[in-house]
Each structure stands twice: as C-alpha cells, then as structure tokens.
Amino acid sequence: MSIQWFPGHMAKAKREAKEKMKLIDVVIELLDARIPLSSRNPVIDEITGGKPRIIILNKADLADPEITKAWKAYFESEGHHVLEADAQKGKGVQGIGPAVREEAAGMIEKMKRKGMNPRAIRALILGIPNVGKSTLINRLASKKIARIGDRPGVTKSQQWIKVGKEMELLDTPGILWPKFDDEAVGYRLALTGAIKEELFDFQDSSAFLLKELKKSYPELLKSRYSLEELPDDLLALFDEIGRRRGCLISGGNIDYDRTAELIFRDFRAGKFGRVSLEQPAD
Ligand code: GDP
C-alpha cells in the first residue's frame, strides 16, 4: 500500500497516532534497514511524546549487513533499543518481546510499588507505508492470536492482540508519512516501495540507483548485468545495460524507458543482492 501524503493526511495521521499513544506503554518504531533515515517520520519524537521506544530495522534481509550494524550502533548511541528483523521470514522477531519488557520495566516496577497487579504491557507499531507493519503484526500474533478487544478508549475497529503472556499489541498500526526532504530521499523511498512508483520517473530513480551502485556496490552491478567494466558515463552505462537486456527500439537504439524500468524493477525485486541506500557516515 502506498499513500500520497497531503498536509491534511499528515495532520490526520498525526492526530490518530497521538490518540493511540494514550493507550499504550511502549512504541515499536519500524524503519526500513536500507534507508533508516529516509524512512523515519520527521516528527516521531513529538508524536511519541517521550514514551519508551524500540527501533526495528526491518527488511534487514535486503540490506547490507555491515551497514545495518553501523545503523544499529548509530541509533543505540541515541539511547534507543535497536533490533534487526526480517518480518517476512520471522527473523529477529523473537527479540521484540524481551525488548518491550525491558523498556516497560520501570512502569511495571511502579505498579508493583503501588501495590497494583502488573497488567500486560501495551505496544503499538508505528511506521511509514510498506515498511512491514502488517507483516510484523501477523508474525507477532502467529498461533497465539487471541483478540481481546472492548477496552475503554479503543474503537471497535481496534483490538488488542495477545503476544506471549506479558504483552498486548494494538492490531492496527500507526501509519506515518516519510520524510520529503529532498530529491535523494524521494528516490530512496520510490526504490524501496514506500511511495507510489508513478510519482517518480523511472529514468530519474534508476539513474540515482546506478550512481549509488557504481559508488558503493560496483561488483553487484557488474554481476547483475554481466558487465566486465563499468563505463564512467551514466548514459553509456544505461546503453550497455539496455543493449544486453534487449531493450531496443527501431534502428537498434536503446529504449531508455524500458531500460530504466527494468533496472528499477530489478532493485525492487532484490536482484542486485543486499544493498543499503543510506549510510550513517553520509
Ligand atoms: P505495511 O504497509 O507497513 O503494513 O507493510 P506490509 O506489512 O504490507 O509489507 C509490505 C511489503 O514488504 C510486503 O510485500 C511484505 O511481504 C514485505 N516485507 C515486510 N517485511 C519484510 C522483510 O523483513 N523482508 C522482506 N524482504 N520483505 C518484507
């Protein structure tokens, strides 16, 4: 699912997320491991209002493992609890329960001190479209899915999903808008599937991708298109790929639209291997 974000949509998303915030103890912020900054909501701190938060670098299976490690250290240095995950296969998901419990330990301690019986910790998943929120919710719910709705303040369409003994998860995630800082952020979001592909020109996004791959992953690029050398010139690189893939128009000229779309789809399908499009060092 991709949403086109207008100011009205953003205001509504913010209002809804803040409303949900009243019900929960711990926020699970989902980021795309390939673009952790570009996939981060720009006002997440304001929305979560100081609630304990864990960060999950999802789709880590598609990202460069070394760079994901560097991002983990980066967010940890900001004081966050950080996990890597592949929600699709369920990898890393088992660490979420303990992390949430650790973040909520203070709250549980306080309840005990007041002589109250500690209740289950309530968590909410927040993230931009397509980052894997629903996949993760389904993973966490797995076999033990037990819907326990009808709590004050929870609308009918929202239910709590029991995860293990000590955690409850709101079954509808908070959908937030991504950054729209600059063109590069836009290309990263288009390439990773966070925004509608029609919003971006394939030639522009693919040119951005080829530059990134040439700079950081030349061997993966060569291997994908069986190239021995990478031409310096981007146009020559497009030509070479187009020719090799038979993206031609009459007269043997390169069909740039088709070539660009092919490169774009190859990236979306993970055909280059594990690639990150953003590094903390940038
Ligand atoms: P949502 O919009 O945030 O709820 O995103 P979805 O859960 O619908 O996931 C969007 C797409 O990403 C789907 O095609 C999922 O199968 C895929 N996906 C989710 N998590 C992962 C992951 O960790 N790795 C990979 N490779 N794909 C994932």
Side-chain angles (χ1 to χ4, degrees):
M1 174 199 43
S2 290
I3 297 174
Q4 215 168 328
W5 293 98
F6 295 111
H9 296 151
M10 294 184 189
K12 184 162 177 269
K14 187 167 162 186
R15 208 166 46 240
E16 284 176 0
K18 279 190 161 176
E19 205 49 43
K20 288 178 177 177
M21 215 52 63
K22 292 180 193 159
L23 309 169
I24 62 116
D25 306 308
V26 178
V27 175
I28 300 173
E29 182 188 5
L30 216 54
L31 302 179
D32 187 317
R34 297 165 295 174
I35 53 164
L37 284 192
S38 297
S39 62
R40 201 164 202 210
N41 176 269
V43 295
I44 184 78
D45 289 338
E46 185 204 326
I47 288 174
T48 56
K51 293 260 172 171
R53 188 181 346 158
I54 64 170
I55 291 181
I56 297 183
L57 300 169
N58 193 41
K59 305 198 183 185
D61 56 309
L62 301 175
D64 182 329
E66 285 305 310
I67 294 177
T68 303
K69 242 189 251 165
W71 277 117
K72 188 165 182 285
Y74 171 93
F75 288 115
E76 280 170 351
S77 74
E78 282 187 350
H80 293 293
H81 207 131
V82 189
L83 298 171
E84 290 174 32
D86 167 359
Q88 207 173 45
K89 296 225 171 69
K91 261 177 132 176
V93 172
Q94 69 284 356
I96 296 175
V100 165
R101 272 203 299 281
E102 212 176 301
E103 288 302 315
M107 174 201 99
I108 300 288
E109 214 31 61
K110 226 175 176 170
M111 291 178 100
K112 281 186 184 157
R113 270 206 305 275
K114 286 185 186 161
M116 294 157 78
N117 262 342
R119 56 166 174 78
I121 304 156
R122 295 175 190 155
L124 167 72
I125 292 178
L126 279 182
I128 66 168
N130 254 315
V131 70
K133 297 179 297 297
S134 315
T135 309
L136 182 62
I137 290 173
N138 287 332
R139 271 283 160 202
L140 285 168
S142 66
K143 299 149 266 171
K144 282 173 251 150
I145 186 154
R147 299 192 171 253
I148 42 171
D150 293 347
R151 284 254 162 76
V154 184
T155 60
K156 276 224 172 89
S157 60
Q158 291 183 350
Q159 306 239 316
W160 296 98
I161 296 168
K162 208 160 169 52
V163 182
K165 275 196 200 118
E166 294 162 64
M167 180 176 155
E168 290 172 8
L169 185 67
L170 209 53
D171 76 341
T172 51
I175 305 170
L176 298 176
W177 62 98
K179 286 193 176 154
F180 294 102
D181 289 4
D182 58 35
E183 242 172 23
V185 170
Y187 296 139
R188 289 185 190 113
L189 292 167
L191 286 160
T192 54
I195 54 178
K196 280 197 175 110
E197 58 187 49
E198 306 92 86
L199 292 179
F200 276 83
D201 182 65
F202 285 130
Q203 292 196 23
D204 291 342
S205 321
S206 295
F208 175 85
L209 176 66
L210 289 183
K211 270 190 241 160
E212 288 293 306
L213 293 173
K214 256 183 86 177
K215 185 178 71 172
S216 307
Y217 303 97
E219 293 312 315
L220 295 182
L221 181 55
K222 280 190 204 163
S223 144
R224 175 68 198 154
Y225 298 117
S226 316
L227 305 168
E228 298 204 337
E229 293 300 326
L230 292 177
D232 283 336
D233 180 48
L234 205 61
L235 191 60
L237 182 55
F238 261 109
D239 283 351
E240 195 57 37
I241 297 171
R243 209 169 2 254
R244 281 175 181 269
R245 289 299 151 118
C247 300
L248 302 174
I249 44 175
S250 58
N253 292 319
I254 303 298
D255 183 337
Y256 290 109
D257 283 332
R258 261 175 65 210
T259 309
E261 185 169 347
L262 177 134
I263 297 166
F264 183 93
R265 299 225 177 278
D266 276 355
F267 183 77
R268 279 256 181 124
K271 297 272 172 68
F272 292 96
R274 299 177 71 172
V275 168
S276 294
L277 294 176
E278 208 165 53
Q279 303 196 22
D282 297 339

